Amino acid sequence: MGYTDQDILLAIKSGNSESVLTHLYKVAKPKVKSLVLQNNGDEDEAQDIFQDAVVAFYKYVLAGQFKEGNSVTGFIYSISRNLWINRAKQKNRLVGNIENHTDVQFDGADAYTQTVSKERALKIQEILAMLGERCKELLTYSIFNKMSMEDISQKMGFSNADTAKTKNYKCKQRLIQLVKENQHLKEFLYS
């Protein structure tokens, strides 16, 4: 049986969504699978990404944040695309033109991703604050601004690039240790 987007939303809100889930697997999963496989992923990863996207979609609907009129399949695809970009970046994989892929764009999915990204950014700021101002500044330049060690040494007043590189290494090691010691932050950042 085919479902309209309205049928899907009503079924989820009423708690009768088992057949809707089966429908989503038939309709949306092939698109997500194709996206992941075309961007250096495998079938298991496609399954994981799809399931995570469906869970996020359900949460969005139950929280009353899904804008009626948006395509359900497109929304799940958009969340999947964002999830895959993040996972591929974490694993240092190339994802082709996926970031510029404009087949389907949805405010709600992007808002979801932006919310998660903002939460992560706040947690990262929290961790960086634990490092102290000097390390925070150094890591911000090297990681987020992608500045060279030469530029960092000049900007921060180090004697040379080697000194900046050594300080950068020590700050990164301290950052890793802080994350390891704080299980809550570790789980949040890797979720």
Side-chain angles (χ1 to χ4, degrees):
M1 175 183 170
Y3 289 92
T4 66
D5 288 347
Q6 190 64 34
D7 293 337
I8 292 169
L9 298 177
L10 289 172
I12 291 170
K13 289 175 185 176
S14 68
N16 299 323
S17 60
E18 196 170 314
S19 60
V20 165
L21 188 57
T22 302
H23 171 76
L24 291 175
Y25 266 84
K26 287 179 188 170
V27 175
K29 186 180 175 201
K31 294 176 184 179
V32 172
K33 180 179 174 183
S34 175
L35 167 83
V36 172
L37 294 177
Q38 288 175 8
N39 288 283
N40 297 322
D42 62 33
E43 291 201 22
D44 288 338
E45 290 170 318
Q47 175 74 14
D48 290 347
I49 292 293
F50 176 73
Q51 288 175 345
D52 290 349
V54 169
V55 168
F57 166 67
Y58 269 61
K59 287 179 180 177
Y60 228 75
V61 170
L62 293 173
Q65 296 176 319
F66 184 82
K67 290 181 187 173
E68 292 193 29
N70 279 347
S71 162
V72 169
T73 303
F75 187 84
I76 291 170
Y77 179 86
S78 188
I79 290 174
S80 298
R81 180 188 51 142
N82 292 331
L83 290 170
W84 181 245
I85 288 169
N86 289 339
R87 183 178 291 188
K89 283 180 180 177
Q90 285 175 353
K91 294 185 176 195
N92 293 321
R93 293 187 189 169
L94 296 175
V95 289
N97 274 342
I98 190 171
E99 292 184 70
N100 300 323
H101 196 273
T102 56
D103 235 11
V104 187
Q105 292 289 332
F106 288 93
D107 296 335
D110 290 337
Y112 171 80
T113 302
Q114 287 172 1
T115 300
V116 171
S117 295
K118 285 177 187 173
E119 288 175 15
R120 276 206 170 104
L122 288 173
K123 290 294 182 189
I124 290 169
Q125 288 299 323
E126 183 181 322
I127 293 170
L128 288 176
M130 291 180 205
L131 289 173
E133 278 306 310
R134 198 83 168 141
C135 271
K136 178 181 175 180
E137 183 180 6
L138 178 67
L139 291 177
T140 299
Y141 290 146
S142 69
I143 296 171
F144 300 114
N145 298 343
K146 306 231 185 284
M147 290 173 62
S148 70
M149 288 300 141
E150 187 63 42
D151 290 342
I152 292 171
S153 69
Q154 290 174 1
K155 190 152 184 107
M156 294 188 70
F158 296 130
S159 57
N160 56 42
D162 287 336
T163 303
K165 189 183 284 186
T166 301
K167 297 271 188 195
N168 186 52
Y169 174 79
K170 287 179 179 178
C171 288
K172 281 183 179 178
Q173 292 302 39
R174 210 160 135 222
L175 175 64
I176 290 167
Q177 190 60 39
L178 280 171
V179 172
K180 283 181 181 176
E181 290 171 359
N182 191 327
Q183 191 63 29
H184 169 266
L185 290 174
K186 184 178 177 182
E187 287 172 4
F188 182 81
L189 290 172
Y190 292 107
S191 64

